[in-house]
């Protein structure tokens, strides 16, 4: 037998051996597939069902921002703490379970460490898939801490895992109750906006949840079933509102103060930018019938609080009359003794005893019901339709169309409507027999402030996604003015007159001018208008000559001892002024620039105050204040007569020249040379008792006189 | 296009065409099954990026084929010398891996190559080098009578390498020892020497095992295997996978047990193959390996000189024995070993060295060489 043949025979033996092994493998395979049983069950019966379930990954709801970038509403995650006790390996579980129990006990403080460890052990024993460790969800900060805990640590080793922190987003308002009714809130069950902007922009804010079937793998890892769509939710869009946190704060603070003072039922303030209709603040406070705070935001009076506006509506009547040239500001009206009977209805002026014969302008400024009635009677009683057409022209019979759910449409009578009576026009002329919201009235006044151009109020300026503008809301300005320019000019003059010498002269101030109108409506109780129960409001704008902001302040049902002091002029107008003052102080754009009077020696030339100092300090100050006369030299410097800077020689062994320096600078210079410094006076160093340049002798005293 | 591929293959892919086909079949199967089997781990470790493993594994398969291509271009006669060099290199590498290597799954079998940051198992290199070298040594001794010191040299190397491997990886060492034994048996080593070798290996290996890292694992695995009541989790899940596969399987990508089976992409990949492609698929894969072995052994018949035949047979035996053991583990015929299924399992160096081994087999089948220079 040659070598090759022997090789072949031997290798064939080996091959047969492996072939036998292969047959054995196949035999065993078939046996395992169809015949083998383990604890009485075939292997294919032991297949564990997938944990397949429908899973929703919630999209993060968009944030609501104030105009200045402050967050008004955002979604913060809270985390449900649970564990799959089956995941970890035995030795890991046994060695770490007590430590986890201790940490859980320390966090939740409701069970002892041993109780928690016992819970975990029992759950593992009974092979539970999920153990909710506590009903309380933990905050993000707590979660970060928990991510270092055993079982919760991020590790690739499944043997050391099992802990799960499932995020739930909850709506959080960093400013608490601020503008709550406008920003809105979520329905706790549906998680959809139930009011305010949250409801109005629900579809934008909500984003898109990702819904799909998932398999739950060991360790709670989720894996989509099949190659379904990626479970990536689309985040909601962010709203950038026109609200300004500062304005809002001013409005709420002042309103609350007034409500407290008058123990009123409710109140509302809206601040709007005249040209754009952007609402800067919208405060709605109602007396809380429950416990807790006295006034809370639980109804949006600005949008939905319809009522008789009262005398503020006289502006509309006045404008209609002026448009028809039925009157002119100087026209004399005899208001008589302040009361008139018409068709069995007594029309009374607030001012007892009447105002006698006054001009139409004064009728408005003093808010004479009789005067308005007489003017109305003289012209529109024969043309009621014409009057109503003007109201339409003033956009007063339609909702403003603000992008917000819940605006109540106005109720305004027409001659062809049911319930129209002979006295309807009279009542309407001074703001009764109608239902208007504060926002609708403010928008009307705003149009007057904006030279007759009606602007739709707006609350949302931009819709953004991750900083990118998705939608820009441009202001809507009606193309045609609501009245002729001369009419606007005349009524604006009247509105200024109200503050200058009319019903709101108490809010007149020297710094800036306010124009506006008081409104005191009697409230209906048991179907009767009641004396002493008022709905007071003040609507106006400022600065009167160049209106930047329009505002309404409303205080409903103020209480007080003196009924005469419960009128709008005393109640609502001061709130207007207080807020307007603060806005005026805050928004320097509306300030009239100071004019520097020529020849005023106190201002020009600028006084040389800092005449010496350390160059670096002076440089910093100069940069900050935009003064360019900075020293070009280094170290300690002094200003010369010609305005240039000269450096001061500083030698360790010589007395330095500290004249002109502030004491703060002079002291270390001298004390570092071992001198004892005596100081007298205030200001900068005027004289020093030892001549500069003399040799320093230790422990010597130097006296400085301050006073530059 | 087809024509040009055919031309390219004819001009460049030399050697046994059937081996090429078998490797191609197993490579395609490998990519399919590994992609499916890594679906779960991709969600656990890569945040759902299932393609990450596909691309990495696909690249390594191609690289393995590249190794094979390069190896088959070299005249196999050079492997006699290269293998000697490989042996000398693998000793320090094995020692280094034991003391300083990367520790994965509680065994330090890996060396991390610094720049490409790829882990590398020196035992793969040692295996290839030892078998090639053994073939060369056996070939030289065919026409002269055996002297004890020659055998001592052979057995010395085998024992030394196996001992170095056994301290960190028992089953690889056992497999290598078996392959060497088989190769020596084919290479006509007298019976008494073979018995001596077995004895030597068992004594040295036993010592090394007790002193090494894996003794406890081996004992527990063997105990588990003997105790029919306590089937280890992984084997249990593997049985479920086999049973779930039935005759025709659940279809590609439809494995259920990949979610429960540890290392479904390497140690237990055969279970996934059966689950997805059924008994039919499992038998085809097994036959493919046996076919490969037959083609590898053919070199003995066709070559006129012993080295080529022994080299080719030795390398194919080592691959096919490993495949058989892997499959035997999956069906529970032998205790759990942790050996990958060659050419199919995911795993970097294993794919590359298996590719190189097949390349050498192809090189042998490719042409006759003048073995007198050995």
């Amino acid at each position: 037998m040659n070598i090759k043949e022997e090789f072949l025979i031997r290798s064939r033996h080996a091959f047969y051996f492996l072939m036998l092994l292969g047959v054995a493998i196949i035999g065993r395979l078939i046996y395992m597939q169809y015949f083998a049983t383990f604890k009485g069950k075939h292997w294919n019966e032991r297949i564990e069902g997938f944990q397949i379930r429908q899973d929703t990954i919630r999209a993060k709801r968009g944030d609501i921002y104030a105009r200045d970038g402050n967050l008004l509403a955002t979604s913060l995650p809270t985390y449900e703490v649970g564990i799959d006790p089956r995941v970890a390996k035995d030795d890991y579980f046994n060695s770490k379970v007590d430590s986890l129990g201790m940490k859980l006990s320390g966090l939740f403080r409701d069970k002892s460490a041993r109780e928690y460890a016992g819970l975990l052990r029992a759950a593992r024993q009974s092979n539970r898939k999920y153990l909710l460790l506590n009903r309380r969800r933990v905050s993000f900060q707590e979660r970060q801490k928990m991510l270092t805990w055993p079982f919760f640590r991020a590790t690739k080793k499944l043997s050391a895992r099992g802990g799960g922190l499932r995020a739930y987003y909850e709506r959080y308002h960093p400013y608490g109750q601020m503008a709550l009714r406008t920003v809105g809130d979520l329905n706790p069950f549906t998680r959809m906006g139930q009011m305010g902007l949250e409801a109005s922009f629900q579809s934008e804010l909500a984003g898109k949840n990702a819904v799909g079937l998932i398999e739950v793998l060991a360790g709670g890892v989720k894996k989509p079933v099949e190659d379904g769509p990626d479970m990536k939710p689309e985040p909601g869009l962010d709203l950038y509102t026109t609200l300004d946190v500062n304005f809002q704060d001013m409005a709420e603070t002042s309103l609350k103060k007034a409500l407290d003072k008058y123990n009123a039922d409710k109140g509302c303030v809206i601040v709007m930018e005249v040209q754009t209709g952007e609402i800067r603040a919208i405060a709605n406070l109602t007396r809380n019938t429950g416990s807790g705070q006295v006034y809370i935001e639980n109804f949006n009076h600005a949008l939905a609080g319809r009522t008789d506006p009262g005398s503020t509506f006289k502006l509309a009547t006045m404008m209609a009359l002026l448009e028809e040239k039925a009157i002119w500001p100087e026209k004399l009206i005899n208001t008589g003794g302040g009361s008139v009977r018409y068709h069995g209805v007594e029309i009374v002026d607030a001012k007892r005893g009447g105002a006698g014969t006054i001009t139409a302008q004064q009728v408005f400024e003093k808010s004479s019901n009789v005067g308005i009635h007489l003017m109305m009677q003289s012209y529109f009683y024969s043309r009621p339709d014409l009057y109503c057409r003007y109201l339409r022209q003033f956009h007063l019979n339609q909702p403003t169309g603000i992008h917000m759910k819940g605006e109540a449409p106005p109720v305004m009578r027409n001659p062809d409507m049911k319930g129209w009576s002979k006295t309807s026009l009279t009542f309407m002329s001074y703001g009764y027999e109608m239902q208007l919201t504060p926002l609708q009235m403010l928008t009307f006044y705003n149009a007057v402030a904006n030279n007759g151009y009606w602007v739709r109020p707006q609350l949302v300026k931009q819709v953004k996604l991750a900083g990118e503008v998705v939608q820009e809301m441009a202001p809507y300005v009606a193309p045609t003015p609501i009245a002729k320019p001369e009419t606007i000019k005349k009524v604006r003059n009247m509105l200024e007159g109200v503050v200058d010498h009319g019903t709101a002269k108490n809010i007149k101030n020297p710094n800036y001018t306010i124009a506006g109108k008081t409104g005191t409506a009697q409230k209906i109780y048991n179907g009767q208008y009641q004396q002493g129960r008022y709905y007071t409001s003040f609507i106006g704008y400022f600065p009167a000559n160049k209106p930047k902001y329009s505002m309404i302040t409303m205080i409903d049902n103020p209480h007080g001892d003196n009924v005469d002091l419960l009128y709008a002029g005393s109640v609502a107008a001061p709130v207007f002024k207080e807020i307007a003052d603060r806005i005026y102080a805050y928004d320097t754009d509306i300030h009239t620039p100071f004019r520097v009077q020529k020849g005023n020696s106190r201002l020009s030339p600028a006084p040389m105050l800092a005449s010496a100092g350390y160059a670096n300090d002076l440089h910093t100050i100069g940069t900050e204040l935009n003064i360019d006369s900075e020293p070009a030299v280094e170290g300690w410097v002094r200003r010369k007569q010609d305005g240039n800077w000269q450096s001061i020689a500083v030698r360790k062994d010589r007395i330095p020249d500290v004249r002109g320096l502030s004491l703060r600078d002079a002291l270390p210079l001298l004390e570092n040379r071992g001198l004892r410094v005596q100081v007298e006076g205030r200001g900068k160093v005027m004289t020093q008792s030892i001549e500069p340049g003399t040799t320093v002798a230790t422990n010597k005293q130097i006296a400085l006189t301050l006073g530059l | 296009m087809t024509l040009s591929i055919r031309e390219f293959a004819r001009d460049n892919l030399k050697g046994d065409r059937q081996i090429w086909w078998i490797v191609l079949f197993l490579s395609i199967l490998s990519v399919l099954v590994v992609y499916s089997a890594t679906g779960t781990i991709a969600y656990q470790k890569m945040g759902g990026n299932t393609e990450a493993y596909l691309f990495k594994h696909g690249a390594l398969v191609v690289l393995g084929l590249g190794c094979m291509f390069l190896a088959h271009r070299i005249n196999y006669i050079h492997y006699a010398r290269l293998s000697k060099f490989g042996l000398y290199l693998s000793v320090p590498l094995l020692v280094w891996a034991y003391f300083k290597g990367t520790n994965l799954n509680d065994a330090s079998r890996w060396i991390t190559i610094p720049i490409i940051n790829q882990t590398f198992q020196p035992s793969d290199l040692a295996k290839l080098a030892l078998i090639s070298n053994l073939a060369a040594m056996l070939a030289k001794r065919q026409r002269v009578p055996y002297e004890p010191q020659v055998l001592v040299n052979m057995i010395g190397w085998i024992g030394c390498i196996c001992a170095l491997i056994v301290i960190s990886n028992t089953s690889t060492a056992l497999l290598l020892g078996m392959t060497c034994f088989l190769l020596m048996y084919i290479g006509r080593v007298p019976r008494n020497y073979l018995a001596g070798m077995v004895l030597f290996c068992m004594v040295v290996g036993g010592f090394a095992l007790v002193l090494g890292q894996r003794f406890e694992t081996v004992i527990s695995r063997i105990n588990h295997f003997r105790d029919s009541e306590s089937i280890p989790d992984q084997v249990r899940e593997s049985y479920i996978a086999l049973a779930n596969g039935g005759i025709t399987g659940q279809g590609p990508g439809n494995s259920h047990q990949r979610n429960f089976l540890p290392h479904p992409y390497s140690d237990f990949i055969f279970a996934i193959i059966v689950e997805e492609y059924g008994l039919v698929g499992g038998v085809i894969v097994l036959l493919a390996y046996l076919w490969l072995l037959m083609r590898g052994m053919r070199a003995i018949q066709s070559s006129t000189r012993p080295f080529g035949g022994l080299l080719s047979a030795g390398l194919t035996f080592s691959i096919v024995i490993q495949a058989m053991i892997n499959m035997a583990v999956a069906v529970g015929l032998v205790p759990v070993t942790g050996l990958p299924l060659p050419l199919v399992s995911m795993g970097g160096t294993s794919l590359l060295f298996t590719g190189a081994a097949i390349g050498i087999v192809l090189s042998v089948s490719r042409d006759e060489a003048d073995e007198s220079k050995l």
Side-chain angles (χ1 to χ4, degrees):
Chain A
M1 210 186 325
N2 68 18
I3 295 170
K4 196 196 226 173
E5 265 173 47
E6 202 176 340
F7 275 4
L8 271 175
I9 290 165
R10 286 179 174 224
S11 64
R12 229 167 258 154
H13 290 163
F15 180 76
Y16 295 145
F17 169 73
L18 280 187
M19 223 164 84
L20 271 179
L21 183 60
V23 170
I25 287 170
I26 289 167
R28 170 85 177 175
L29 171 55
I30 294 169
Y31 172 72
M32 291 325 291
Q33 281 187 323
Y34 295 104
F35 303 104
T37 53
F38 181 68
K39 291 178 181 164
K41 261 165 129 184
H42 285 286
W43 282 107
N44 60 354
E45 292 166 331
R46 310 194 71 88
I47 191 157
E48 255 185 87
F50 269 140
Q51 255 186 289
I52 292 190
R53 58 181 165 87
Q54 178 153 318
D55 194 48
T56 307
I57 301 176
R58 291 198 182 278
K60 188 190 180 297
R61 197 177 172 87
D63 296 333
I64 300 180
Y65 288 92
R67 175 175 170 265
D68 41 36
N70 279 305
L71 263 177
L72 295 174
T74 185
S75 289
L76 291 185
T78 54
Y79 298 87
E80 184 186 281
V81 185
I83 192 168
D84 182 344
R86 308 164 306 157
V87 172
K89 274 188 177 164
D90 276 333
D91 45 351
Y92 188 85
F93 185 87
N94 291 330
S95 66
K96 298 286 187 186
V97 67
D98 290 314
S99 132
L100 179 64
M102 219 143 75
K103 286 182 184 293
L104 286 169
S105 171
L107 175 71
F108 293 119
R109 302 183 177 282
D110 59 341
K111 293 191 186 81
S112 71
R114 192 180 294 176
E115 281 174 297
Y116 268 115
L119 267 178
L120 288 161
R121 284 206 179 87
R124 187 178 168 91
Q125 199 86 52
S126 55
N127 215 16
R128 269 175 70 179
K129 288 196 170 80
Y130 188 73
L131 173 66
L132 178 65
L133 288 167
N134 201 293
R135 293 217 169 273
R136 178 170 87 75
R137 295 182 191 153
V138 299
S139 69
F140 182 76
Q141 283 81 0
E142 288 170 320
R143 169 186 175 264
Q144 294 303 94
K145 215 182 291 165
M146 289 186 72
L147 289 180
T148 62
W149 289 13
F151 298 97
F152 287 89
R153 219 169 280 154
T155 164
K156 284 186 178 176
K157 275 190 189 162
L158 269 181
S159 56
R161 282 210 311 228
L165 294 160
R166 197 183 161 91
Y168 290 86
Y169 285 98
E170 268 167 26
R171 214 57 174 159
Y172 172 67
H173 300 107
Y175 287 91
Q177 288 256 321
M178 182 183 272
L180 188 64
R181 221 52 207 185
T182 305
V183 171
D185 210 344
L186 301 188
N187 182 315
F189 300 106
T190 62
R191 312 213 44 81
M192 305 217 290
Q194 58 180 357
M195 61 194 180
L197 293 172
E198 298 270 22
S200 310
F201 289 83
Q202 165 65 22
S203 57
E204 283 88 348
L205 286 165
K208 228 175 181 173
N209 291 342
V211 182
L213 292 177
I214 52 142
E215 292 169 17
V216 182
L217 311 178
V221 177
K222 293 175 189 168
K223 175 186 158 193
V225 173
E226 298 303 320
D227 275 346
D230 264 349
M231 295 274 288
K232 291 238 172 77
E234 287 173 33
L237 307 176
D238 297 331
L239 294 189
Y240 281 73
T241 65
T242 61
L243 294 175
D244 186 305
V245 168
N246 296 298
F247 283 42
Q248 185 71 32
D249 184 46
M250 294 171 198
E252 280 184 17
T253 311
S254 299
L255 177 62
K256 190 164 180 307
K257 211 166 84 185
L259 290 173
D260 281 336
K261 181 177 169 191
Y262 289 103
N263 193 19
D265 288 354
K266 55 197 179 230
C268 136
V269 171
I270 314 170
V271 182
M272 191 157 127
E273 197 177 68
V274 169
Q275 284 184 0
T276 58
E278 291 181 9
I279 292 177
R280 289 278 176 268
I282 182 163
N284 296 288
L285 292 176
T286 315
R287 189 205 301 279
N288 185 6
T289 45
S291 58
Q293 282 174 292
V294 184
Y295 290 101
I296 52 165
E297 278 232 13
N298 66 358
F299 187 82
N300 205 329
H301 301 295
L303 251 80
R306 274 191 309 204
T307 184
D308 296 317
S311 303
T312 49
F313 198 77
K314 284 172 185 164
L315 178 65
T317 306
M318 210 60 173
M319 278 169 68
L321 288 164
L322 286 167
E323 283 284 279
E324 284 294 310
K325 297 202 167 56
I327 56 148
W328 50 95
E330 296 79 24
K331 186 181 180 180
L332 291 174
I333 317 280
N334 183 6
T335 64
S339 105
V340 146
R341 279 192 88 79
Y342 177 75
H343 282 288
V345 176
E346 191 172 24
I347 301 150
V348 191
D349 276 352
K351 184 174 171 6
R352 273 173 228 121
T357 301
I358 49 175
T359 62
Q361 168 116 11
Q362 284 170 317
V363 165
F364 189 80
E365 288 166 358
K366 295 184 190 309
S367 200
S368 165
N369 293 345
V370 176
I372 285 282
H373 160 68
L374 291 174
M375 288 191 282
M376 189 76 167
Q377 191 182 28
S378 69
Y379 190 77
F380 280 120
Y381 278 30
S382 51
R383 312 171 179 88
D385 288 314
L386 187 60
Y387 179 70
C388 290
R389 213 176 71 207
Y390 272 112
L391 298 186
R392 277 198 291 279
Q393 187 178 318
F394 300 154
H395 293 258
L396 277 168
N397 60 345
Q398 275 174 353
T400 62
I402 187 171
H403 286 304
M404 177 104 136
K405 278 187 182 163
E407 186 186 8
V411 177
M412 193 71 80
R413 279 190 177 145
N414 271 333
D416 51 356
M417 271 179 167
K418 211 182 147 196
W420 181 270
S421 74
K422 289 191 169 151
T423 54
S424 284
L425 268 188
T426 297
F427 279 121
M428 281 169 76
S429 70
Y430 51 88
Y432 288 92
E433 285 201 14
M434 59 178 69
Q435 297 277 299
L436 284 169
T437 65
L439 183 67
Q440 283 149 6
M441 284 306 292
L442 175 65
T443 312
F444 172 52
Y445 272 68
N446 189 77
V448 172
N450 198 27
N451 296 322
Y453 288 93
W454 187 88
V455 186
R456 175 166 293 146
Q458 63 170 347
L459 263 169
V460 176
K461 186 117 185 75
Q462 288 171 325
V463 180
K464 291 189 183 178
L465 178 63
E468 296 278 321
V469 178
V470 176
Q471 202 186 340
E472 181 95 45
M473 271 76 157
Y476 171 78
V477 184
T480 48
I482 58 169
K484 291 195 224 40
E486 55 265 33
T487 304
I488 298 291
K489 204 177 148 200
K490 282 169 192 160
V491 291
R492 278 177 63 169
N493 200 22
M494 290 178 187
L495 289 166
E496 282 171 48
V498 170
V499 178
D500 200 48
H501 43 264
T503 50
K505 59 174 178 268
N506 52 328
I507 65 168
K508 184 179 171 184
N509 74 84
N511 299 322
Y512 64 102
T513 47
I514 298 173
K517 179 76 186 78
T518 55
T520 310
Q522 286 181 22
K523 291 178 71 71
I524 300 178
Y525 279 93
N526 305 322
Q528 287 285 314
Y529 285 105
Q530 299 280 323
Q531 191 84 26
R533 291 197 164 192
Y534 301 121
Y535 171 90
T536 71
S537 61
F538 187 90
I539 316 177
Y541 53 87
F542 60 94
N545 53 337
K546 207 179 161 199
K548 175 89 187 272
Y549 297 109
S550 59
M551 170 161 52
I552 179 172
T553 55
M554 180 278 276
I555 309 274
D556 197 358
N557 203 10
H559 295 284
D561 300 334
N562 188 347
V563 174
D564 286 343
L565 290 180
L566 297 181
Y567 279 43
S570 323
V571 180
V575 180
F576 187 105
K577 166 144 194 304
E578 189 176 309
I579 300 169
D581 277 352
R582 295 176 70 180
I583 291 176
Y584 183 77
Y586 175 73
D587 185 354
T588 49
D589 288 351
I590 51 181
H591 290 193
T592 331
F594 283 115
R595 290 214 188 92
V596 178
Q597 286 169 286
K598 275 192 183 152
N600 188 334
S601 58
R602 286 185 57 180
L603 288 173
S604 177
M608 288 206 303
L609 291 174
S611 55
Y614 194 63
N616 279 355
D617 293 351
L618 294 173
H619 184 82
T620 309
I621 296 166
T623 313
E624 200 65 38
L625 298 177
N626 271 327
I627 305 170
D628 19 302
S629 67
E630 298 160 17
V633 277
E634 293 293 307
W636 291 96
V637 292
R638 163 173 296 109
R639 201 188 194 122
K640 290 190 292 187
Q641 285 297 313
D642 58 3
N644 286 326
W645 296 88
Q646 167 196 24
S647 70
I648 308 172
V650 183
R651 281 181 62 181
K652 277 273 166 202
D653 52 343
R654 297 288 152 99
I655 299 284
D657 185 354
V658 296
R659 286 171 298 182
L661 286 175
S662 67
L663 185 60
R664 200 194 78 153
D665 288 339
L667 265 181
L669 277 175
L670 296 171
E671 285 182 343
N672 281 348
R673 284 166 177 75
L675 294 160
R676 285 186 293 121
V677 184
Q678 209 177 36
V679 187
E680 196 178 287
R682 295 168 73 96
K684 299 193 176 204
V685 179
M686 208 153 62
T687 57
Q688 55 189 100
S689 63
I690 308 174
E691 275 294 299
T694 42
T695 324
V696 177
T698 29
N699 231 2
K700 208 160 181 192
Q701 195 164 325
I702 181 168
L704 301 180
T705 316
L706 309 181
L708 261 178
Chain B
M1 193 63 200
T2 26
L3 197 71
S4 60
I5 285 177
R6 187 164 288 178
E7 272 170 20
F8 172 85
R10 197 181 58 217
D11 295 345
N12 293 288
L13 306 183
K14 302 290 166 101
D16 192 336
R17 192 56 56 82
Q18 293 186 28
I19 294 180
W20 281 106
W21 281 116
I22 294 165
V23 171
L24 191 66
F25 164 71
L26 289 175
S27 296
I28 291 168
L29 182 79
S30 165
V31 172
L32 289 178
V33 181
V34 167
Y35 183 36
S36 168
T38 50
T40 303
I41 186 183
Y43 276 92
Q44 285 168 342
K45 293 190 181 172
M46 307 290 279
N49 181 9
T50 47
E51 278 76 25
Y53 287 103
L54 173 68
F55 288 139
K56 193 179 169 209
H57 178 65
L60 279 166
V61 167
V62 171
L63 217 60
L65 292 174
C67 280
M68 181 169 137
F69 179 77
L70 287 179
H72 105 292
R73 301 284 296 200
I74 299 169
N75 192 326
Y76 74 87
I77 208 78
H78 300 299
Y79 291 115
R81 230 170 313 120
L82 277 174
S83 68
K84 198 88 185 170
F85 175 71
L87 265 187
Y88 286 126
L89 183 67
S90 56
V91 172
L93 282 179
L94 283 168
V95 174
W96 172 267
Y98 181 69
F99 288 107
K100 298 269 178 170
T102 313
N103 207 324
L104 295 179
N105 299 334
D106 308 320
S108 45
R109 303 167 187 169
W110 282 266
I111 288 177
T112 306
I113 301 170
I115 296 155
I116 55 173
N117 200 23
Q118 172 73 48
T119 49
F120 155 78
Q121 269 197 78
S123 61
D124 282 323
L125 171 69
K127 195 164 72 182
L128 187 60
L130 182 63
I131 291 169
S132 309
N133 195 46
L134 185 62
M137 286 192 283
L138 286 169
K140 271 195 280 189
R141 302 291 149 212
Q142 287 307 317
R143 294 181 193 282
V144 288
Y146 276 89
E147 294 154 25
Q149 75 246 48
V150 176
L151 257 293
V152 167
N153 191 19
M154 262 184 227
I155 294 170
W157 269 117
I158 295 169
C160 172
I161 296 290
C162 285
L164 280 173
I165 295 176
V166 86
I167 50 178
S168 63
N169 191 347
T170 318
S171 36
T172 302
L174 223 59
L175 171 78
L176 185 56
M178 260 167 69
T179 311
C180 291
F181 176 78
L182 213 58
L183 193 56
M184 287 168 85
Y185 167 72
I186 296 169
R188 294 168 63 240
V189 176
R191 298 244 157 103
N192 50 341
Y193 289 119
L194 281 179
M197 176 198 144
V198 170
L199 203 67
F200 179 78
C201 280
M202 276 167 81
V203 172
V204 174
F207 267 112
L209 184 60
V210 173
L211 296 174
Q213 299 168 328
R214 305 291 292 173
F215 186 60
E216 284 170 32
T217 313
V218 171
I219 296 299
S220 85
R221 278 181 181 173
I222 291 171
N223 281 344
H224 269 305
F225 186 67
R226 285 170 52 195
D227 180 1
S228 64
E229 277 303 297
S230 77
I231 301 172
D233 280 350
Q234 44 204 21
V235 180
R236 193 182 303 189
E237 300 298 349
S238 173
Y239 290 165
I240 296 172
L242 300 178
N244 192 33
I247 291 179
T248 51
Q250 300 286 336
N254 291 343
S255 168
H256 173 103
Q257 286 301 102
R258 64 181 170 206
N259 297 318
F260 303 95
L261 199 52
H263 308 295
Y265 41 82
S266 65
D267 299 4
F268 283 91
I269 198 159
F270 186 65
I272 303 295
I273 293 174
V274 173
E275 192 186 14
E276 293 195 349
Y277 302 91
L279 177 63
V280 177
V283 171
I284 290 175
V285 170
L286 195 139
L287 289 178
Y289 282 106
L290 286 177
W291 191 254
L292 180 67
L293 183 58
M294 273 173 70
R295 301 307 298 183
M297 278 160 49
R298 214 178 63 107
I300 299 174
Q301 193 164 28
S302 57
S303 67
T304 49
R305 294 280 182 156
F307 175 56
L310 285 174
L311 183 63
S312 172
L315 289 174
T316 30
F317 264 110
S318 111
I319 290 167
V320 176
I321 291 174
Q322 186 181 337
M324 290 292 175
I325 290 177
N326 175 286
M327 291 185 251
V329 166
V331 299
L333 216 51
V334 295
V336 176
T337 58
L339 289 173
L341 188 60
L343 295 168
V344 177
S345 285
M346 187 169 90
T349 43
S350 162
L351 278 170
L352 302 190
F353 282 101
T354 312
I358 303 243
I360 296 170
V361 172
L362 283 168
S363 165
V364 174
S365 72
R366 192 178 119 184
D367 47 19
E368 281 301 306
D370 183 6
E371 285 185 17
S372 57
K373 285 182 190 145
L374 266 176

